[in-house]
Amino acid sequence: HGVFVGGDDFKSGQTKMKSVLVDFLINAGIKPRSIVSYNHLGNNDGKNLAAPEQFRSKEISKSNVVDDMVAANSILYAKDEHPDHTVVIKYVPYVGD
């Protein structure tokens, strides 16, 4: 489908891109208050993640990337403070594998 390769799994690298951007912002002293991640998957991963219990597991793992960076910066974020972080995963069959 002519998409670029950028992630650990040779997909688009949305989580990788988010982690690089959040790390850059936090290290520059800029405090992200809200982060929204959109993933459009057309393979079996997308189909399987349409099930709420499967999605929840993936949502937690994708959110942990940001949580770890925030927890490491006590200057910008108070203890137990974190940005509003939403992960959206949609099954889009046309995207393919």
Side-chain angles (χ1 to χ4, degrees):
H1 296 300
V3 297
F4 66 93
V5 177
D8 291 341
D9 59 358
F10 301 106
K11 302 295 181 183
S12 66
Q14 183 276 334
T15 302
K16 179 72 78 182
M17 182 63 77
K18 172 180 61 179
S19 64
V20 168
L21 287 172
V22 170
D23 186 51
F24 170 78
L25 292 171
I26 289 174
N27 287 325
I30 300 167
K31 182 178 181 176
R33 297 190 185 276
S34 179
I35 301 165
V36 180
S37 305
Y38 289 93
N39 298 267
H40 298 96
L41 306 173
N43 55 16
N44 281 334
D45 284 345
K47 197 172 197 175
N48 292 334
L49 290 170
E53 61 279 356
Q54 295 294 335
F55 168 75
R56 183 64 185 140
S57 172
K58 188 73 162 183
E59 180 183 36
I60 290 168
S61 68
K62 286 182 173 287
S63 295
N64 286 343
V65 171
V66 171
D67 293 341
D68 291 344
M69 285 185 264
V70 166
N73 190 310
S74 59
I75 295 171
L76 291 179
Y77 294 94
K79 184 177 167 120
D80 297 323
E81 180 187 12
H82 53 83
D84 177 25
H85 185 194
T86 301
V87 176
V88 178
I89 299 175
K90 294 293 183 187
Y91 175 52
V92 182
Y94 177 78
V95 173
D97 192 12

